Amino acid sequence: MRMSDLLRLGKEAMLFAAGIVIVIGILWFVGYRVIYRKCLHGKKTIKVPQLIWAAAMIGYLFVVLYATLVRGGYYAGRPHLVPLSSYRQAWYQFNVTEWRNLILNICMFVPLGILLPRGIRFFRKAYRTYLAGFLMSLAIESVQLVAKRGVFETDDIINNTVGGIVGFGLFYLGAWIVDRFRRMKHYDLKKALLCQIPLVVAVAIFCTVFVVYDHQALGNLPCDDVTAHHIPEVTLADGVQLSDDAASPMIYKMKIYTKEETHALAQEFFAKYGLDIDETRNDLYNDTAGYYSEDGALDLWIDYRGGTYQLIDFDKSHPQDGSVCEYLKDADEATVRQYLENSGIAVPENAVFARLENDQYRFDLDGDVIEDQYLHGSLRCSFTQAGDIVQLDNQFIACDSYRETDVRSEQEAYETLCTGKFRSYDWQDTDKMEVTGVRASYSADSKGFYRPVYVFMVRTDTTDGLEIAISCEK
C-alpha cells in the first residue's frame, strides 16, 4: 500500500468518524438542550472541554473501527498466535510495507493512551490505561476472527498495547508540563520521566534494527527464517548420494532500480511505439512503478528489484474499431523468439519454450551462468497474427558477479535438514521424511543478492515433491 493509499484511507476514516460525531452531536443537542434543559428544566451543565474531549474520543474510536473492521471485505485467515512472528517476517523480508505496518499498529493506539486519562480520572492509574488498551485490541482482533474481517494476530495486540502505554506516557508528560505552568503539583517529574521509558525503548529497538540491517553487507535469506519441526525419521532414497566436498560459488547481485530509473526505462520503451508517458497517471508503489501512454494504449509496470516488467497493449487486445483481436496461434519457438527480437527483447538461449492456453507462450530458465552473469526467471507473451506484442510479462533477471563465498557440503546441509530446522510454507507434520534428491541453486535475499542454497526434494507421509531450501553458506 502506497503512502497515498494510506492517506486516502485516513481521509475516509476521518470522514466516516466525522459523520458519526455530527449525528451523535445532533442527537445530544436535541436530548440535552431541548428535552433536558427546556422541557425538563434540568440544571446540570456540561463544560466545553468535556464536549471537545467527548467528540475527540468518539471520533477516534470510530476511526479505529473503520480502519480495522469496516473497510475491506470478507477475509478468512488462520490466526497468527506466535508472538513476534510478524517481526521475524519483517526482518527476513525487510521491505518498507512490513515495518510501516508494525509501526502504524503501535501509533494507532497512542491517542487512546492520551485520551482516556485526559477525560476520565479512573484511567489516570497507568495500569488501568494499559489494561484498557489491551482489552480494546483483544476485542477488535476477536471480532475480526469471528466476523472474518481480518486475521487474528497476537502481534497486533502486542503492538496496540505498546501504543496505549506510549500514549499514557505522553499524556503524563504533557500533564506535568501544564502543571508547572499552573504552579501546581498534581503530577510528579520522576514518574513523568519513567513513563517515557516505553517510548524510548521502542524507538531504540526500531533504530537499532534499521542501523544493523543497513550495515550488513548482504541481506536476509528467506530460508534462514527457520521453524523447528520434530521429524522422528529422515532417510535418503535409493540412489541418492551426498557430496562431502565444499566449493566456493559466486554470490550475484541484481540491480535495484530507483523510481527515476524505472521512469527512464518506461520512456525508452514507449519511444519504440512513438508514444509518450502520461505523467499525470504514474502509479509509484514501494516495490513497483506503473506508467501509461498518453493515448491510453500501453500499460507498463516495472519492478524495482531486477527491472522485471509487465506490458499490455490495449490497442491490440481491444482494437478501437470494435473488431476482435486475432492472436497468433500454435507458433513454434523460432517464430516467437524472432517476434520478441524484433521488439528488442532477447531471450536466453537455454530458456525452455512452452505453448500455453489462451494463445500464450512461455520461456523458463531455472538458473544459468552466462559471461559472469546469473540469469533466471521466465517470460510469458502473446502476439497478434502480424507479430505485434499484445501482452508481455518479462520476469528474466540478470545478476552480476559480486564475490565468492565459502559453503558447506551437501552432507552438512543434509544434517541441518535432519534437525528439522528449515522453512517451508507447505510443510505438514509427519513421522517420516525421505530425501529423493538435492541440487545446488540460488535464492534472492532482501537486498537483492542471489546466494547459494541447497534445494532438497523430499517425500513425506502426506506430501510428495516438496522442495526445501537450506542455506549453504558457512
Side-chain angles (χ1 to χ4, degrees):
M1 183 179 287
R2 297 170 296 178
M3 185 57 66
S4 60
D5 296 325
L6 286 174
L7 293 175
R8 184 172 64 251
L9 172 60
K11 181 179 178 180
E12 292 173 356
M14 293 289 286
L15 290 174
F16 173 79
I20 299 294
V21 170
I22 290 172
V23 171
I24 293 176
I26 293 173
L27 294 175
W28 172 84
F29 180 82
V30 172
Y32 176 75
R33 300 292 299 182
V34 177
I35 298 176
Y36 177 73
R37 294 298 298 270
K38 289 190 176 181
C39 296
L40 300 179
H41 305 291
K43 301 299 183 182
K44 187 173 182 180
T45 61
I46 299 177
K47 297 179 181 179
V48 172
Q50 291 176 304
L51 290 176
I52 295 174
W53 175 86
M57 189 67 188
I58 293 171
Y60 164 73
L61 291 175
F62 277 98
V63 165
V64 172
L65 289 175
Y66 183 88
T68 57
L69 299 175
V70 176
R71 74 175 181 90
Y74 175 89
Y75 181 82
R78 186 171 60 182
H80 297 169
L81 302 178
V82 180
L84 304 183
S85 60
S86 59
Y87 283 85
R88 286 177 58 90
Q89 179 177 326
W91 171 253
Y92 284 102
Q93 294 184 358
F94 221 97
N95 61 56
V96 173
T97 301
E98 296 290 341
W99 287 110
R100 185 183 63 198
N101 289 343
L102 291 172
I103 294 172
L104 285 177
N105 269 332
I106 294 175
C107 293
M108 185 168 62
F109 270 53
V110 170
L112 181 71
I114 296 173
L115 289 171
L116 277 180
R118 174 64 185 86
I120 305 174
R121 288 185 176 276
F122 177 82
F123 290 105
R124 291 181 185 175
K125 294 287 186 181
Y127 75 91
R128 293 172 180 169
T129 298
Y130 300 169
L131 182 60
F134 169 79
L135 292 176
M136 179 173 166
S137 180
L138 178 62
I140 291 173
E141 294 299 312
S142 299
V143 172
Q144 285 181 331
L145 177 65
V146 174
K148 294 181 171 48
R149 303 292 296 185
V151 178
F152 184 101
E153 293 190 63
T154 301
D155 285 354
D156 283 352
I157 298 175
I158 294 173
N159 291 333
N160 295 161
T161 304
V162 170
I165 293 172
V166 169
F168 181 86
L170 294 176
F171 156 76
Y172 202 95
L173 179 61
W176 178 84
I177 293 173
V178 172
D179 229 15
R180 298 285 75 75
F181 278 107
R182 293 178 175 177
R183 300 182 182 278
M184 302 172 70
K185 296 183 179 181
H186 294 141
Y187 297 91
D188 179 60
L189 174 60
K190 183 177 180 180
K191 185 176 180 180
L193 295 176
L194 288 174
C195 286
Q196 306 315 306
I197 292 177
L199 174 61
V200 173
V201 170
V203 171
I205 289 174
F206 280 108
C207 289
T208 300
V209 167
F210 298 145
V211 169
V212 169
Y213 181 79
D214 185 62
H215 283 75
Q216 288 183 179
L218 304 176
N220 303 322
L221 274 173
C223 63
D224 284 339
D225 182 13
V226 300
T227 302
H229 305 281
H230 177 64
I231 311 172
E233 182 180 357
V234 182
T235 60
L236 291 173
D238 293 340
V240 177
Q241 294 184 342
L242 302 177
S243 172
D244 289 321
D245 298 330
S248 297
M250 187 68 67
I251 293 176
Y252 296 92
K253 177 72 167 69
M254 81 163 73
K255 179 175 176 58
I256 307 297
Y257 287 78
T258 64
K259 293 177 181 178
E260 292 74 21
E261 288 172 325
T262 64
H263 186 272
L265 287 176
Q267 283 182 319
E268 181 181 341
F269 213 110
F270 285 9
K272 296 177 183 178
Y273 292 81
L275 300 172
D276 293 319
I277 298 174
D278 183 352
E279 301 291 357
T280 64
R281 298 179 60 198
N282 294 347
D283 282 336
L284 303 178
Y285 289 83
N286 293 325
D287 52 4
T288 188
Y291 301 98
Y292 308 88
S293 62
E294 289 183 337
D295 64 354
L298 295 183
D299 276 18
L300 178 64
W301 289 84
I302 305 175
D303 297 327
Y304 302 139
R305 288 170 62 91
T308 58
Y309 59 88
Q310 304 85 43
L311 171 74
I312 300 178
D313 189 335
F314 287 104
D315 270 358
K316 300 296 188 299
S317 61
H318 299 84
Q320 294 182 1
D321 60 8
S323 61
V324 178
C325 176
E326 295 185 6
Y327 286 91
L328 179 68
K329 300 178 182 295
D330 301 322
D332 59 18
E333 179 178 351
T335 300
V336 175
R337 282 181 178 271
Q338 184 60 54
Y339 285 158
L340 288 170
E341 186 176 337
N342 293 343
S343 298
I345 300 166
V347 178
E349 292 183 5
N350 295 340
V352 178
F353 174 75
R355 296 187 188 90
L356 305 177
E357 296 179 355
N358 301 324
D359 303 318
Q360 292 189 339
Y361 306 92
R362 183 183 178 102
F363 290 92
D364 288 285
L365 184 63
D366 190 18
D368 196 7
V369 178
I370 302 175
E371 297 181 356
D372 293 329
Q373 280 193 324
Y374 175 72
L375 303 177
H376 87 105
S378 65
L379 182 148
R380 190 174 69 248
C381 55
S382 60
F383 303 88
T384 65
Q385 290 285 355
D388 297 319
I389 292 176
V390 180
Q391 292 186 0
L392 177 64
D393 184 4
N394 189 349
Q395 298 297 313
F396 282 125
I397 295 178
C399 307
D400 296 323
S401 299
Y402 179 67
R403 65 170 171 82
E404 291 184 342
T405 185
D406 295 327
V407 300
R408 299 177 292 171
S409 66
E410 292 178 350
Q411 180 62 42
E412 291 174 308
Y414 171 72
E415 292 170 1
T416 299
L417 179 70
C418 291
T419 65
K421 294 180 180 180
F422 56 81
R423 183 70 174 177
S424 175
Y425 292 103
D426 300 321
W427 179 259
Q428 297 180 11
D429 290 338
T430 182
D431 294 329
K432 182 178 181 181
M433 180 171 69
E434 183 180 43
V435 176
T436 59
V438 60
R439 72 176 189 274
S441 184
Y442 280 88
S443 178
D445 70 17
S446 56
K447 286 190 175 182
F449 291 94
Y450 274 79
R451 296 159 61 183
V453 297
Y454 290 121
V455 178
F456 289 89
M457 286 69 76
V458 304
R459 180 190 302 127
T460 70
D461 298 334
T462 58
T463 308
D464 192 9
L466 185 64
E467 293 188 349
I468 298 174
I470 301 291
S471 174
C472 57
E473 293 178 74
K474 291 183 177 178

